[in-house]
Amino acid sequence: MTRDLKDYRPNVGIVVINPDGKVWIGHRFGMSGDYAWQFPQGGVDAGEDFEAAAKRELYEETGLSTIEMFGCTSDWIIYDFPPEVLAQKKIGRNFKGQKQIWYFCRFTGPDSEVNLQAHGEQEFDRWEWCDLDQVIERVVHFKRDSYRTVIAELKTLLGRV
């Protein structure tokens, strides 16, 4: 299946790994249920460098800035919005889904650096360090295939296939 990339919102995602090899996940603010967890992600402003966008989004959503970037996905990772998301004016407006470049970084600061209210619009209501192999079962259904691709690329990059 060929997708027209202009139908997808440009976006960045960020996978943050701590010194113990666990990844940062946040529970979406205002959402209930066990499947409302995700990695930080967000839109790219017009003319904005993608790595700069990833660092900005990471800080706005988590307060984290003590990081070392070490890679990104080799191409766009794409997912479609389901009908219930398309019906929401804020998220689904004008796009079929999202196309994302994912960045991988190591967190080298203290956990006290996490500030879920670092930016005016709060994205997460709680967070935790999670085993990479447990992330998929906690993510909303329509993002799972894209997360599988992201995690596979990360594992290859880390040499943990």
Side-chain angles (χ1 to χ4, degrees):
M1 177 173 90
T2 304
R3 296 178 177 171
D4 190 344
L5 291 179
K6 75 178 185 325
D7 293 333
Y8 293 84
R9 178 178 178 243
N11 195 279
V12 290
I14 308 97
V15 181
V16 181
I17 302 172
N18 74 4
D20 296 326
K22 294 191 176 208
V23 293
W24 195 102
I25 59 171
H27 186 272
R28 295 288 308 266
F29 183 81
M31 302 205 47
S32 60
D34 295 331
Y35 304 107
W37 294 85
Q38 70 176 47
F39 295 131
Q41 68 175 55
V44 178
D45 295 335
E48 187 175 24
D49 174 80
F50 279 57
E51 185 172 324
K55 289 177 181 177
R56 175 185 53 76
E57 284 290 340
L58 179 64
Y59 179 76
E60 289 176 359
E61 293 185 0
T62 70
L64 300 180
S65 62
T66 310
I67 58 166
E68 297 170 356
M69 294 287 204
F70 66 88
C72 65
T73 54
S74 58
D75 202 354
W76 292 111
I77 307 295
I78 300 168
Y79 69 85
D80 292 323
F81 292 133
E84 65 270 17
V85 173
L86 286 171
Q88 298 174 18
K89 290 215 181 263
K90 180 182 176 188
I91 299 173
R93 68 178 185 278
N94 303 324
F95 297 104
K96 289 182 178 179
Q98 300 204 85
K99 58 183 180 183
Q100 301 175 302
I101 297 293
W102 283 84
Y103 286 85
F104 308 121
C105 64
R106 287 185 179 84
F107 178 61
T108 58
D111 285 358
S112 60
E113 189 172 305
V114 175
N115 177 1
L116 301 181
Q117 298 174 342
H119 187 61
E121 214 173 305
Q122 189 171 344
E123 187 76 23
F124 302 110
D125 55 20
R126 61 187 186 271
W127 69 278
E128 65 183 62
W129 294 110
C130 181
D131 288 328
L132 189 58
D133 292 332
Q134 295 176 351
V135 171
I136 297 297
E137 64 195 45
R138 302 176 76 185
V139 174
V140 68
H141 68 93
F142 64 91
K143 293 184 182 181
R144 288 184 179 177
D145 285 343
S146 64
Y147 269 53
R148 284 184 185 96
T149 302
V150 170
I151 289 169
E153 285 205 37
L154 175 60
K155 284 182 173 183
T156 299
L157 192 61
L158 294 173
R160 296 187 342 194
V161 180

